[in-house]
Amino acid sequence: MSRPQPSVIGYMAQQEVFHDHKNNRYEDDDQPAPQAKRPTKEKTSTARLTTWKMVDLNNPALPEYQHSPPDFVGTPFEYFSRYFSPQVIRHITYQTNLYATQKDVTTTEDEMLNFVAILIYMGIVELPSVDDYWAMDTRVPQVANLMSSKRFRLMRRLVHFNDNTQIPGTVHRFFKIRPLFSFLNTAFRREPQTPKQSVDEVMVAYKGKTAGNLRQYIKNKPDKWGFKLFARASADGFIQDMVLYQGKTTLEAHSVPLMPKLRTLGATSQIVTVLVSTMPPSPTTAIFADNYFISLELVRYLKDKNCRFTGTARDNRIGKPPLKSIKEMEKKAVPQGTCSYVTGDDGILALRWKDNKIVTLLSTDMGVESTSSVHRYCSETKQKEEVSCPTAIKSYNSNMGGIDKSDMLVHLYRSPMKSKRWYMRLFAYAIDVSLTNAWVIYKQDKHFDSVLNPEVRGGYKQGHN
């Protein structure tokens, strides 16, 4: 992405603002994350009895999302600034100056923007050491011309996002970084949202000790140790909303309130309802999630809100539909592609399908017919063969990968951020997810621009450079 270059006068002014601190050392603020009081658990309500029949769902397919053609295609930097906006830079600059007054140091918004630009560039052009960007043999002008090595290290030690004096008594265990994610969530929600969205976990890598039990472990993630976020995303990888996980007080600390009648749902189901509540109300929406989140009560609640849902499910969370048992379907006599399904009197489809493993799924979106086929390896014939696949399964596979795609894009060029301060890794992720979201929208707009204006090649619309 192109970024504004500082003038010579501006750079000299910044040199005066951050005077030389040869004899002073600034230690990383490694203050542990604040602890929060755990709320009492709500009593669960009595489960609703469901009558099941062996019938299929017959819902019409949701309309495919059509990206609106842009009025014009801006520069890549303008797309990035939609999310990591001047307001965000202004806030970080103010909080950094508030903290740095104790050190007799100040900064400017231009310098803060240059600092962010350097972090992004370091994620793209990786060198073994930070010093290498300024070293004579490996000097990188795009970095070294923006800021001196001493200034960069000082900025990295002093950058702040919230007022430390407000920590006592807060329920926000992510207090130090919370405002930044509030800004991003507000900006992400403003973008047009596709009717099909997925909910899943995101891991932001971190192995330090000062974050306490904010650091989580998930064995099936590329980054097994780190901060856990719950996110809602479109299939193209655009993150629309995020919730920072901080244990029992996660939703209490989130900006979206939890309605009283939802407190009887399981904790992970509550996460889904909060993420869905920030979507524009529409009868043509569908949510996809895996078995970590799903419950029969959640599917029923979303259906009452005119929101379709599809997700894999654990056997103890789907009530007791009269499906073939997992043990029975695992028998070798049962061919791959076998399907067992029933629909409840509340319009919820329960489906069990034999793939390489047995898959159990709940859906209020698509049914079983008309089935398509997928290719699976057969150990007997030693080759791939066609296997019947229900429509609901195919729809789930097509729409569930949004979070994984965002993770993949973020991991391609991660901003480097090694620090004792536990929240700095989240700062780097905030930059990276803003950059990734900007790329997704920019790519879509460029596609429509090239279709509508085939005479424009490789640049922006004339008159908007």
Side-chain angles (χ1 to χ4, degrees):
M1 287 190 178
S2 59
R3 302 176 183 86
Q5 303 292 320
S7 64
V8 175
I9 296 176
Y11 182 73
M12 293 175 65
Q14 292 172 15
Q15 295 290 328
E16 295 176 0
V17 170
F18 269 176
H19 50 277
D20 193 7
H21 291 270
K22 288 184 179 179
N23 300 321
N24 294 331
R25 295 185 64 188
Y26 299 92
E27 299 297 333
D28 279 338
D29 176 11
D30 57 354
Q31 181 179 356
Q35 299 298 314
K37 182 180 179 181
R38 293 188 175 186
T40 57
K41 187 176 181 180
E42 298 283 346
K43 294 182 179 179
T44 56
S45 60
T46 304
R48 174 188 181 277
L49 295 177
T50 304
T51 302
W52 301 92
K53 294 183 179 179
M54 190 175 174
V55 294
D56 195 10
L57 283 183
N58 193 26
N59 293 333
L62 292 179
E64 293 298 323
Y65 173 72
Q66 298 295 328
H67 183 72
S68 300
D71 295 331
F72 60 85
V73 178
T75 64
F77 178 74
E78 288 174 329
Y79 281 83
F80 176 70
S81 295
R82 286 190 189 184
Y83 315 124
F84 217 89
S85 64
Q87 183 184 13
V88 173
I89 296 294
R90 192 177 307 118
H91 173 84
I92 299 175
T93 304
Y94 174 80
Q95 292 297 336
T96 300
N97 283 334
L98 185 65
Y99 173 75
T101 52
Q102 306 168 32
K103 319 287 186 182
D104 194 25
V105 176
T106 57
T107 184
T108 65
E109 292 178 25
D110 284 342
E111 188 168 44
M112 186 60 67
L113 187 60
N114 289 338
F115 175 65
V116 172
I118 287 174
L119 290 175
I120 293 174
Y121 201 87
M122 285 180 171
I124 298 171
V125 181
E126 296 185 60
L127 294 180
S129 170
V130 171
D131 292 331
D132 292 337
Y133 292 92
W134 287 271
M136 292 294 294
D137 294 337
T138 57
R139 187 177 187 273
V140 180
Q142 292 86 343
V143 171
N145 291 347
L146 279 180
M147 190 177 293
S148 69
S149 173
K150 181 185 294 185
R151 191 61 44 81
F152 174 78
R153 291 180 181 279
L154 184 60
M155 288 284 288
R156 192 171 60 178
R157 287 195 292 266
L158 295 181
V159 63
H160 259 65
F161 314 97
N162 216 344
D163 184 359
N164 287 342
T165 63
Q166 304 299 316
I167 290 179
T170 183
V171 73
H172 300 277
R173 299 186 60 200
F174 284 99
F175 176 87
K176 286 179 172 289
I177 197 70
R178 177 74 65 176
L180 184 54
F181 280 83
S182 296
F183 280 122
L184 295 184
N185 276 337
T186 300
F188 294 164
R189 294 170 192 163
R190 280 199 296 261
E191 293 292 345
Q193 303 194 30
T194 61
K196 298 176 181 179
Q197 301 263 311
S198 61
V199 173
D200 204 352
E201 301 162 291
V202 175
M203 286 295 286
V204 179
Y206 178 75
K207 292 185 178 181
K209 305 295 184 181
T210 56
N213 60 7
L214 282 180
R215 186 186 65 157
Q216 301 290 308
Y217 175 80
I218 302 180
K219 64 179 181 179
N220 60 345
K221 292 288 185 179
D223 297 316
K224 293 176 173 51
W225 286 100
F227 302 106
K228 182 163 70 173
L229 285 68
F230 298 108
R232 174 169 56 81
S234 56
D236 55 12
F238 187 94
I239 300 287
Q240 300 273 189
D241 200 2
M242 295 178 288
V243 172
L244 296 165
Y245 176 74
Q246 62 174 49
K248 295 287 186 179
T249 56
T250 295
L251 297 181
E252 186 179 353
H254 193 58
S255 59
V256 179
L258 185 68
M259 302 301 292
K261 65 179 181 179
L262 298 179
R263 297 188 183 277
T264 57
L265 292 177
T268 54
S269 294
Q270 291 176 358
I271 293 290
V272 176
T273 63
V274 167
L275 288 171
V276 171
S277 68
T278 59
M279 297 179 68
S282 172
T284 58
T285 58
I287 294 295
F288 298 82
D290 63 23
N291 60 21
Y292 180 75
F293 301 92
I294 199 170
S295 68
L296 192 60
E297 291 75 18
L298 170 65
V299 182
R300 188 176 290 127
Y301 168 80
L302 293 178
K303 186 175 186 299
D304 292 340
K305 296 295 182 181
N306 292 320
C307 178
R308 299 185 184 186
F309 187 92
T310 301
T312 55
R314 299 175 184 177
D315 204 36
N316 61 349
R317 290 189 182 182
I318 61 174
K320 296 182 179 180
L323 299 172
K324 287 184 179 179
S325 68
I326 295 177
K327 188 174 182 179
E328 181 181 354
M329 293 192 70
E330 285 177 340
K331 294 178 179 178
K332 290 186 177 181
V334 179
Q336 200 168 18
T338 299
C339 179
S340 173
Y341 64 91
V342 290
T343 301
D345 54 5
D346 47 7
I348 299 175
L349 173 75
L351 165 68
R352 187 162 284 155
W353 178 61
K354 185 171 184 179
D355 194 14
N356 294 326
K357 294 183 178 180
I358 307 302
V359 178
T360 304
L361 179 140
L362 294 181
S363 177
T364 55
D365 181 24
M366 304 303 293
V368 177
E369 301 293 344
S370 58
T371 58
S372 57
S373 60
V374 292
H375 291 86
R376 296 290 185 266
Y377 179 78
C378 178
S379 58
E380 295 180 358
T381 62
K382 307 298 182 182
Q383 60 184 5
K384 289 187 176 182
E385 296 185 353
E386 286 192 353
V387 173
S388 175
C389 178
T391 301
I393 297 286
K394 185 177 181 180
S395 177
Y396 174 83
N397 290 335
S398 299
N399 295 284
M400 188 54 203
I403 305 295
D404 291 339
K405 185 169 185 179
S406 177
D407 279 350
M408 181 271 293
L409 293 172
V410 164
H411 278 71
L412 288 176
Y413 305 105
R414 283 199 295 185
S415 300
M417 189 58 71
K418 291 184 178 180
S419 174
K420 292 180 182 178
R421 291 186 288 168
W422 57 268
Y423 52 91
M424 292 300 286
R425 185 58 243 166
L426 287 166
F427 170 49
Y429 177 76
I431 295 174
D432 294 340
V433 74
S434 299
L435 200 65
T436 297
N437 275 2
W439 162 248
V440 172
I441 299 298
Y442 173 73
K443 184 174 64 172
Q444 292 175 348
D445 284 357
K446 283 290 289 181
H447 170 74
F448 274 91
D449 189 54
S450 62
V451 171
L452 297 175
N453 300 276
E455 71 280 359
V456 180
R457 290 288 182 269
Y460 314 112
K461 279 194 176 182
Q462 296 180 359
H464 192 75
N465 292 327

